[in-house]
Structures are given as C-alpha cells and as structure tokens.
Amino acid sequence: PKMLLNPYYTAKTEKWKMGFDESDGMRYNKARKTERDEAHEHQSGDLGFGRHAAQHAGRSGGCSQAATKLAANGLPTHTTDEVRMFVGNGIGKLIERAVPNGRENPKFQAVYDAFVAHYGAHSRDRTKPYDGILPMLDALAAQGVKLAIVSNKIDFAVKALSRDYFGERMQAAIGDDPSRRRKPAPDSVLEAMRQLGVTRAETVYIGDSDVDVETARNAGVACCAVSWGFRSVQCLRDAGAARIAANPQELLAMLEAL
C-alpha cells in the first residue's frame, strides 16, 4: 500500500546533516533514496496527501479574517490576492507579512491574538473538501494507502477539521505545534511518517504551494503538486514541482503510477 500525506491538514530524530534558514528552508547534504518500496507511500499537501488529498477550500476565508483583524486595529488592509501570497508558513508569518513593519509593530501581538481567536471560532466558514477529493481518498484507502494531513495551521484546528470533514479517513492529522518547526522544515512530515510507520521511500507528499514543494524536498520524499489551490502552475514549476495534477482524478492516476 501507498501512504499519503496532505498539505493542508498537512521524526525529530533526524540524522542527516542539515542547515536551516527561515527564507530558504532545509538543505540536506545527503541525497534522498530513490528505490521504490512495495510498502506504504505517504502523500501530503498543507503533507502531500498524507497525504491529504483534501485541500482547504476556505483559504479565502483566512484572507477575509486577516483583513478584518487589521482593520479592527487601525492598520491598512490588503486585497485577497495579496493575502493569498502571505499564507503558507503559519499564522505568525501571515501576520508578520500583513502588518506594517511586521513583528516590530506594537500592534503585531494584538492582531495575532485576535486572528487566532477568530480562526478558532470560524475555521469552518467557507471550508469544505474540494470536489472529487472524498471519492479519491476512498479509492486510495481501498488500495491500502495510509493517509495523513500535515499543515502549518494551528494544531487544534487541523485535528478538528480533519475529524469533521474526513471522518476516519486520516490516520494522522498534524498542525502547528511549538515542539516542531513549521514547513518548509520537515519536522511535521517526519512526525506523520513516524506515526504511520513508513519510510521516506514509502512516502509521497501532496501540496498546492511552493512551500509544500520545498517541504517535500527538505523531507526527502516524493512530491505531487496540484494546481487547484492558492498558487499558480508557474509558481509550482518555479519551486521545482515535476508533477502537477489538474484535478483529483488526474492526481489519483499519478499516484497509482508511482
């Protein structure tokens, strides 16, 4: 069976030599294994598929939430397209990018706290699995594929969203936690792999952003990108995505061919 990790929803004992930079992410000195394994393959998107084949249809909701909290604190707001480019690295980075002068702004913490509280109450607003995702997940599960979600969203929200929208389909749902570095660092992906009992060679990461492509690379796992999320196909290609699916059916065929 293959194992899949999802980017949106999405082990720390790492022996590879690495260097981490907030802007460039993890860079390993050891080449990833390329041999195929008959066991599990994990995909992930906010973990390739976890891979959560499901993506967060409510990203635009997060954009409106951010704008609301900026306005409430007397700060300039941004367009939805601008905010879409701010997301992907966790709430802290989102607010840092949205607030003038970032963390140096005296209102940074107030905006951050208000956003977290609002998101906790409204994370389900305008949120649902993309069309075709649930049948695809069921098809993968029928083949024995293990599924998980890895996300930079707050851990409690990731677990709740996974439970409410995917039921028992996901064997793991991992969000932002102080004990782990956020994507594009590989910590969350490695934790999901640990929980599912799979290796890098058995894992596929599915995601819709440049951050996801980089996360898969940093974790040393295969990656499939999807074009129906919040980054353009060109952005995904520029990030190094070699496989880009246009819909869940195409993604399923892509995964079955790996």
Side-chain angles (χ1 to χ4, degrees), residues 143-164:
Q143 298 175 36
V145 175
K146 293 183 178 180
L147 305 172
I149 292 172
V150 172
S151 175
N152 274 343
K153 292 181 175 62
I154 301 173
D155 189 67
F156 74 82
V158 172
K159 287 178 168 53
L161 289 166
S162 176
R163 180 185 64 250
D164 293 346

Side-chain angles (χ1 to χ4, degrees), residues 4 43 49 51-54 131-143 145 147 169 206 226 228 247-253 255-256:
L4 309 177
Q43 300 178 351
F49 219 170
R51 267 182 184 188
H52 277 44
D131 292 342
I133 289 298
L134 296 182
M136 183 191 69
L137 290 175
D138 291 338
L140 290 168
Q143 298 175 36
V145 175
L147 305 172
R169 292 179 176 86
I206 297 170
V226 300
W228 61 78
N247 55 62
Q249 294 74 25
E250 186 175 319
L251 177 59
L252 179 60
L255 294 171
E256 291 175 338

Side-chain angles (χ1 to χ4, degrees), residues 106-252:
K107 294 185 176 182
F108 171 86
Q109 193 61 47
V111 175
Y112 177 90
D113 292 343
F115 182 92
V116 170
H118 189 85
Y119 186 76
H122 297 277
S123 61
R124 291 167 181 75
D125 296 357
R126 304 173 66 184
T127 298
K128 67 173 185 177
Y130 282 111
D131 292 342
I133 289 298
L134 296 182
M136 183 191 69
L137 290 175
D138 291 338
L140 290 168
Q143 298 175 36
V145 175
K146 293 183 178 180
L147 305 172
I149 292 172
V150 172
S151 175
N152 274 343
K153 292 181 175 62
I154 301 173
D155 189 67
F156 74 82
V158 172
K159 287 178 168 53
L161 289 166
S162 176
R163 180 185 64 250
D164 293 346
Y165 291 103
F166 303 118
E168 301 300 319
R169 292 179 176 86
M170 300 298 162
Q171 283 80 62
I174 299 171
D176 184 23
D177 183 278
S179 67
R180 294 183 295 268
R181 293 169 299 178
R182 300 180 184 92
K183 299 182 298 178
D187 300 35
S188 297
V189 178
L190 298 177
E191 174 60 19
M193 291 166 58
R194 184 192 69 78
Q195 291 187 24
L196 273 63
V198 299
T199 66
R200 288 182 175 84
E202 300 167 334
T203 299
V204 179
Y205 184 104
I206 297 170
D208 69 347
S209 76
D210 48 336
V211 173
D212 292 317
V213 175
E214 186 175 4
T215 300
R217 182 165 56 244
N218 292 339
V221 301
C223 178
C224 290
V226 300
S227 63
W228 61 78
F230 74 123
R231 290 287 191 266
S232 67
V233 169
Q234 189 59 53
C235 178
L236 296 171
R237 288 175 176 162
D238 290 345
R243 307 179 191 89
I244 303 175
N247 55 62
Q249 294 74 25
E250 186 175 319
L251 177 59
L252 179 60

Side-chain angles (χ1 to χ4, degrees), residues 22-51:
E22 179 123 19
S23 59
D24 293 331
M26 301 291 295
R27 290 291 180 265
Y28 289 101
N29 294 325
K30 178 178 178 181
R32 64 176 287 266
K33 296 194 300 182
T34 57
E35 65 268 22
R36 178 172 178 177
D37 196 295
E38 292 294 336
H40 308 85
E41 196 173 73
H42 193 102
Q43 300 178 351
S44 165
D46 252 0
L47 241 181
F49 219 170
R51 267 182 184 188

